[in-house]
Amino acid sequence: MPRRLLALALSLAMTSTPHAAPMILADYMALSGPAPDATLRYGAAPSQYAELFVPPGKGPFPVAVLVHGGCWTKEYGGITQLRNMAGALAARGIAVWNVEYRRVDEAGGGYPGTYQDMNAALDLLARTARDYPLDVERLVAVGHSAGGQLVQWLAGRPRIPASSPLFRADAVPVRRVVSLGGLADLRRESALLKSSCGREVVDLAGTPSAARPDVFADTNPGDLIPNGSRTILVTGELDTISPPRVAHDFAARARAAGDIAEVVILPGASHYDEVAATSRSWPLVLGAIEAALGPAPR
């Protein structure tokens, strides 16, 4: 990372005054961070790209795949706000792949396009690792809110039926996940998706057909377990979009199925504190990401 961007990231992560009160939507929308070191496209649509942040030094660096939320719509920003986390992570020696994708209110978004974008973004990351010092063997997928559903879905891809348009035989493995206020279980949390985001399940899972009678079989992280992943579900104590109960319920189901799942509750934090390096919750969020990555190899 150029020196000026590193200085900005360090300033953001260590010298900014943390929000004393729980963050609100306006605070989240105002988040920003350093510009990426590279922007790479995985498709022709305006939203089909990812931003790469590379730490200073030789590497190879572990990689955090960031997937923003925003209720699967364009209204609430996303990738720009996650630059706030990206800069702070790069300052800690973690490369960042900050993913943009087509949402349900964009042409081609929803089912299957949004999920196909996730597949393509991970495929592009694997190719990009040939040209940058990235260690994709040490990869954690970090998603906020709607992005939590998408990163938990990435971990579940090995269980997707081969008949699905979302199936990838050679998908980049995602075995470590940090879900920040994730809205992941489409089948069991449909009422919450409606009340929190105004989203109907059909927007995200498509409609049943004779060839695809169960729309959750290739879209719902809650149905794609066990998958051999470790998931850390991080939720603000005061989160009203995805309350702590949601994280505890998903973790219990994942553990019962045989996967590793942990819950971290952020004291006094809202849905937006979960994703801000300027939040008082950031040390706990960072701790979850670094714990998911595990110690550096010797």
Side-chain angles (χ1 to χ4, degrees), residues 199-220:
R199 293 269 69 78
E200 301 288 352
V201 167
V202 67
D203 296 337
L204 308 169
T207 55
S209 66
R212 188 172 170 262
D214 184 358
V215 297
F216 301 111
D218 61 352
T219 59
N220 184 32

Side-chain angles (χ1 to χ4, degrees), residues 168-226:
R168 275 286 200 284
D170 55 351
V172 175
V174 176
R175 300 187 179 95
R176 291 168 282 197
V177 172
V178 175
S179 181
L180 305 172
L183 293 165
D185 201 323
L186 305 183
R187 185 190 296 273
R188 297 167 186 84
E189 301 291 355
S190 59
L192 181 65
L193 298 182
K194 179 67 173 178
S195 62
S196 291
C197 284
R199 293 269 69 78
E200 301 288 352
V201 167
V202 67
D203 296 337
L204 308 169
T207 55
S209 66
R212 188 172 170 262
D214 184 358
V215 297
F216 301 111
D218 61 352
T219 59
N220 184 32
D223 285 52
L224 299 174
I225 52 176

